[in-house]
Amino acid sequence: QVQLVESGGGLVEAGGSLRLSCAASGGTFTDRAMAWFRPAIGKEREFVASINWSGTSTLYTDVVKGRFTISRDNAKNTVFLQMSSLKPEDTALYYCAAGRFAAAHTAASRYAYWGQGTQVTVSS
């Protein structure tokens, strides 16, 4: 059983930056893909970014490409989401997820464990 705790959310002005962190404990981390999701209209959770077990492969949804960067530190069992050039439409509760498998993927069904989320609010 993997427990995930997100942090780093907050209120920021449009154009600003935030760095989200997700600390994992209680299970294996280094052999799992990790990802970030957020709610969206018509979806429970919308894919944002994913990283494979080794950090050598990443995936992003089109609307965040070039603005967000996902990374991980396997020595610290932590995954990060660096968010830059933030827009009001990025406002959401951001969830960290630990994958069932090692490869990065966009589907929520490929992730077995979920955190409680950290709120990001971008003011215009």
Side-chain angles (χ1 to χ4, degrees):
Q1 188 80 5
V2 177
Q3 289 84 44
L4 302 172
V5 178
E6 302 97 332
S7 61
L11 174 64
V12 64
E13 292 184 350
S17 300
L18 282 174
R19 189 192 196 204
L20 306 185
S21 298
C22 173
S25 62
T28 57
F29 174 80
T30 57
D31 59 354
R32 298 180 185 273
M34 298 295 294
W36 291 92
F37 286 79
R38 64 189 184 188
I41 296 174
K43 299 179 181 180
E44 181 179 356
R45 287 170 182 168
E46 172 188 62
F47 170 77
V48 176
S50 178
I51 189 166
N52 73 334
W53 70 278
S54 63
T56 57
S57 177
T58 57
L59 298 172
Y60 297 93
T61 189
D62 285 346
V63 296
V64 308
K65 281 182 181 176
R67 300 190 298 121
F68 292 9
T69 301
I70 189 171
S71 61
R72 66 190 296 161
D73 184 340
N74 284 348
K76 296 182 178 180
N77 286 2
T78 303
V79 64
F80 305 97
L81 186 67
Q82 178 67 48
M83 311 165 70
S84 303
S85 301
L86 282 161
K87 304 175 181 180
E89 51 264 43
D90 294 318
T91 294
L93 187 64
Y94 283 75
Y95 295 96
C96 174
R100 303 178 192 277
F101 310 108
H105 204 279
T106 62
S109 61
R110 302 275 289 199
Y111 295 87
Y113 302 101
W114 297 82
Q116 295 299 306
T118 185
Q119 178 67 37
V120 172
T121 303
V122 184
S123 63
S124 57

